[in-house]
Amino acid sequence: MTSSAFAKTWNGEALALIDVPRRPIDQFRVALIDAVKARCRVSSLFVRRPTESGKPELVAVLTDDSDGSVLIGIGALEGERYASLTPSCPQVHLFEREIAEQTGVAPEGHPWLKPVRFPDKADQRNARIGEMDFFKVDGDEVHEVAVGPVHAGVIEPGHFRFQCHGEEVFHLEISLGYQHRGVEDALVDGPHNRTIHVMETLAGDTTVGHAWAYSQNVEALSRVHVSAHAQVVRAIALELERLANHTGDLGALAGDVGFLPTQSFCGRIRGDLLNMTALLCGNRFGRSLVVPGGVRFMLEPERATELKKRLETAERDLQIAVNLLWESATVQGRFEQTGMVSRTACVDLGLVGPAARACGVEVDIRSTHPTGVYQFTNIPLATAHHGDVNSRAYVRWLEIQRSIVFIRERLNSLPASDSLSSRRELAADSIAASLIEGWRGEICHVAITGSNGKFSSYKVTDPSFHNWTGLSMALRNQPISDFPLCNKSFNLSYCGFDL
């Protein structure tokens, strides 16, 4: 059933829509559940409309880590309802809530179709921004603590509601969606001149990751070749983005337990790493670097040499700053066995990125579904096995060290620069799925074109979409005072979720 219900393809390749199997929704449902039981992961699930038949269709993109393939299938709906997948496949619970909210297609039997993102108009679907039902726990001395959506400090809006007994958290419910931007609707009928700028700001700290995922889709649909030089520059920029954010996270974790030396050092070193990205393209967040067809800025030998010098300095400083963290018994005492997520929960929920690898789950698109220069270079997978704050911090540290080695090797064997490939028209009536391992984890973009060669549908899944539920699980049976530390150890995106 599974093999006949999905087309087998590869990361960053396009298919004609007519080559993607369409199965009645009941057959499609069984096939998807069987595929996940066989260790596939759901990278994207959404409703496509309008369609040729006039009826909505359920589109699923699965990743098979065993052979690096991407499976794409379509479930044909007869009406506006179908039997929910969530009871048998928990990792789609949020996708199905999103489908119900955005399209009105109802997955019957879903445990709770709560709002994912609040509507942009208060009277839309009779919903009011910020008003929804929350899970409640009753009992003697059980009380509720509400935090946000407006927070102290410069962070985005999100509401956190804790059900507590004394200091112990029984349940944490997270409500986001206060800044729903309607990004996916704005991408329809593209690509146009503004599309790349929208992609770069899907999550501002993941500019390179999202820009690359989008560019890879456009290149697949237009059959454009990207030069070896551009592929290497993209990979260097992606690893610099990972280095800067992982370094900032380690500093922030140190700050949350009052360990100021590492916090102070990492804050400064993060700035140095952002400046290395600015050396590549003139912008510290990598804006305007990655575009369909290659990169806008080539890397000459002189700047490559300067980058190596700066990287060597950053590596030396990071070793000093982060080793202080691991050598402190008080830090280890706060990190270990705090905010634990079991491997079983991780797999069931479909967590990705460092949060999953900290649970011992070997998922990393650079290894399982490599594209670009990652097809020719193996970055060792970094894992830990306790699923706690310490594991999530340690995975980041391992990845910092391996990214530095990777960048240094690429700079030592930089291919000759080449010009940006010319743009071509996108193939009509086609679909492409693009996966990039951003610093938070798997980024998935799915582009579908209509008969005019323009996007008829564009779906973005930021890694935070998969992982916010993991943060809720990490807080169970923890003191509420551990929330800031657990939250920091995931460091998820609000705007990447609130698309």
Side-chain angles (χ1 to χ4, degrees):
M1 178 70 74
T2 299
S3 59
S4 60
F6 294 96
K8 185 173 183 176
T9 184
W10 308 98
N11 185 11
E13 293 194 359
L15 285 174
L17 275 174
I18 198 170
D19 293 332
V20 179
R22 281 176 174 76
R23 294 288 179 268
I25 187 62
D26 291 342
Q27 291 181 21
F28 173 81
R29 182 179 180 279
V30 171
L32 189 148
I33 292 169
D34 287 347
V36 172
K37 285 179 180 175
R39 295 298 180 188
C40 287
R41 294 181 293 107
V42 180
S43 292
S44 190
L45 181 71
F46 58 99
V47 161
R48 171 181 176 246
R49 72 162 106 203
T51 61
E52 296 76 12
S53 66
K55 296 178 181 177
E57 295 177 339
L58 204 57
V59 180
V61 175
L62 311 183
T63 45
D64 186 342
D65 295 336
S66 64
D67 63 359
S69 63
V70 176
L71 307 178
I72 302 178
I74 294 176
L77 295 164
E78 286 301 319
E80 300 291 316
R81 298 178 179 278
Y82 70 95
S84 172
L85 292 149
T86 298
S88 302
C89 181
Q91 63 179 274
V92 304
H93 74 105
L94 200 50
F95 285 113
E96 289 199 317
R97 285 168 55 188
E98 183 184 55
I99 286 169
E101 183 172 287
Q102 291 184 342
T103 69
V105 173
E108 292 185 316
H110 188 285
W112 200 349
L113 294 173
K114 294 182 292 184
V116 177
R117 306 177 184 100
F118 294 108
D120 56 354
K121 295 178 181 177
D123 60 350
Q124 190 174 333
R125 297 187 303 280
N126 296 318
R128 292 175 62 85
I129 295 173
E131 291 189 3
M132 58 177 279
D133 292 330
F134 289 90
F135 184 80
K136 289 185 179 298
V137 179
D138 293 323
D140 292 342
E141 300 181 4
V142 173
H143 61 281
E144 195 172 78
V145 178
V147 178
V150 178
H151 302 271
V154 186
I155 63 172
E156 295 166 275
H159 181 66
F160 301 84
R161 191 165 294 207
F162 302 82
Q163 307 291 322
C164 300
H165 183 266
E167 292 292 311
E168 184 181 0
V169 177
F170 282 176
H171 179 74
L172 164 61
E173 190 159 1
I174 301 171
S175 173
L176 305 175
Y178 289 85
Q179 53 183 354
H180 185 195
R181 295 173 287 165
V183 168
E184 291 171 348
D185 288 342
L187 295 172
V188 173
D189 292 331
H192 41 65
N193 291 339
R194 293 187 59 193
T195 304
I196 185 63
H197 304 298
V198 173
M199 297 298 177
E200 289 179 336
T201 53
L202 290 173
D205 51 20
T206 315
T207 295
V208 176
H210 279 292
W212 191 349
Y214 159 70
S215 297
Q216 190 164 263
N217 265 343
V218 173
E219 290 151 9
L221 289 164
S222 57
R223 301 188 186 281
V224 165
H225 172 73
V226 177
S227 72
H229 182 86
Q231 295 285 17
V232 169
V233 172
R234 285 180 177 184
I236 290 172
L238 187 71
E239 296 308 318
L240 284 174
E241 191 169 78
R242 193 181 323 278
L243 282 173
N245 284 292
H246 280 3
T247 298
D249 285 347
L250 289 178
L253 284 166
D256 271 355
V257 296
F259 193 71
L260 300 185
T262 299
Q263 180 193 29
S264 302
F265 275 119
C266 285
R268 191 264 298 167
I269 299 167
R270 173 177 174 271
D272 294 341
L273 293 163
L274 291 173
N275 287 338
M276 291 183 212
T277 300
L279 184 66
L280 288 179
C281 63
N283 184 282
R284 302 176 87 208
F285 294 99
R287 302 267 170 90
S288 301
L289 176 61
V290 180
V291 292
V295 292
R296 277 207 180 97
F297 302 90
M298 304 301 162
L299 184 56
E300 308 87 3
E302 295 76 14
R303 282 192 298 139
T305 302
E306 174 63 20
L307 190 54
K308 276 192 286 187
K309 287 181 183 175
R310 294 191 191 186
L311 194 64
E312 186 177 340
T313 302
E315 182 182 26
R316 183 194 63 221
D317 292 351
L318 273 167
Q319 288 282 355
I320 297 170
V322 180
N323 282 336
L324 287 173
L325 193 73
W326 304 129
E327 292 166 1
S328 167
T330 57
V331 171
Q332 294 302 296
R334 289 288 289 116
F335 280 11
E336 290 178 351
Q337 298 184 28
T338 299
M340 297 178 71
V341 178
S342 70
R343 179 186 171 90
T344 300
C346 173
V347 172
D348 287 348
L349 293 170
L351 304 190
V352 297
R357 294 192 282 276
C359 300
V361 178
E362 296 182 347
V363 290
D364 187 325
I365 294 300
R366 295 173 297 173
S367 298
T368 58
H369 298 74
T371 57
V373 72
Y374 295 109
Q375 295 175 92
F376 311 105
T377 303
N378 179 34
I379 294 184
L381 205 62
T383 59
H385 300 280
H386 299 290
D388 56 4
V389 169
N390 193 63
S391 293
R392 290 188 281 277
Y394 191 64
V395 165
R396 284 179 170 87
W397 175 229
L398 290 176
E399 293 186 356
I400 285 173
Q401 297 172 83
R402 292 166 187 180
S403 292
I404 289 174
V405 172
F406 174 86
I407 294 173
R408 184 182 295 121
E409 290 176 352
R410 302 287 75 71
L411 291 172
N412 286 334
S413 56
L414 196 63
S417 61
D418 202 349
S419 58
L420 194 66
S421 298
S422 300
R423 295 188 63 172
R424 299 177 185 168
E425 296 296 318
L426 305 191
D429 297 317
S430 299
I431 183 170
S434 173
L435 300 160
I436 295 294
E437 186 68 23
W439 66 274
R440 281 194 182 93
E442 175 188 300
I443 297 167
C444 180
H445 286 214
V446 184
I448 300 177
T449 56
S451 58
N452 61 354
K454 300 292 185 183
F455 294 146
S456 61
S457 181
Y458 200 99
K459 179 65 187 167
V460 176
T461 307
D462 186 83
S464 296
F465 190 84
H466 295 283
N467 284 359
W468 274 107
T469 309
L471 174 59
S472 292
M473 299 301 293
L475 259 292
R476 288 197 172 176
N477 304 314
Q478 292 287 303
I480 193 171
S481 56
D482 279 344
F483 173 67
L485 186 59
C486 293
N487 190 23
K488 197 72 69 185
S489 70
F490 280 83
N491 192 12
L492 302 174
S493 172
Y494 294 73
C495 64
F497 181 95
D498 288 353
L499 300 171

